[in-house]
Amino acid sequence: MFMILERHKEKGRVYQIDIGSGTNVLNHPKADSLAFEDPDFDLEKNGVRTLDKEFVFKYPSSFLEDRNMVLSEKVEGLAYIDENLIALSNDNDFGKHGEPSRVWVVQFESQTY
């Protein structure tokens, strides 16, 4: 079981991913370049299949608000605990902006993915 966090500013999504579903690009001819960073790079044309991913939840959301959970703008850590429990953590930029380090534990009533 693997999960990923996709984030842009204060909004994010958590997905479950299947790491066996994508192309291993370690020995790809363009692996030593920045080609994969280019938003116009055609993955399919270059023989690269992305990972299958399944949506788990997004934030902010009523799911979290109903539990009085307000996440940081900089959620960057994700830990899978079990099928009903994950932990999220923020990046506090070494305290430069006054936000303390935090960890939020999110519990689902049943396996949602």
Side-chain angles (χ1 to χ4, degrees):
M1 159 66 94
F2 289 90
M3 299 182 95
I4 60 169
L5 171 68
E6 292 182 354
R7 175 185 78 83
H8 180 69
K9 297 187 180 179
E10 71 280 353
K11 295 180 181 180
R13 291 175 176 259
V14 173
Y15 295 93
Q16 176 184 349
I17 61 169
D18 174 4
I19 63 168
S21 63
T23 303
N24 181 344
V25 296
L26 187 60
N27 294 315
H28 191 279
K30 298 189 181 197
D32 292 331
S33 73
L34 295 176
F36 297 123
E37 300 293 324
D38 182 349
D40 295 323
F41 182 75
D42 189 332
L43 295 169
E44 186 176 337
K45 183 178 176 181
N46 285 278
V48 177
R49 185 177 188 283
T50 58
L51 298 173
D52 292 338
K53 62 184 183 180
E54 186 176 339
F55 176 76
V56 177
F57 79 98
K58 68 179 181 175
Y59 66 87
S61 68
S62 59
F63 174 81
L64 296 175
E65 291 166 3
D66 290 348
R67 289 155 180 78
N68 295 317
M69 297 178 77
V70 178
L71 303 182
S72 166
E73 286 186 12
K74 295 195 71 177
V75 173
E76 293 186 4
L78 169 66
Y80 172 83
I81 300 170
D82 66 30
E83 64 185 23
N84 297 324
L85 202 61
I86 64 170
L88 301 167
S89 63
N90 69 318
D91 175 359
N92 74 347
D93 291 327
F94 303 102
K96 291 180 183 177
H97 304 290
E99 184 173 4
S101 294
R102 293 190 177 120
V103 174
W104 297 269
V105 177
V106 181
Q107 183 169 7
F108 301 98
E109 293 177 15
S110 62
Q111 184 176 355
T112 58
Y113 40 88

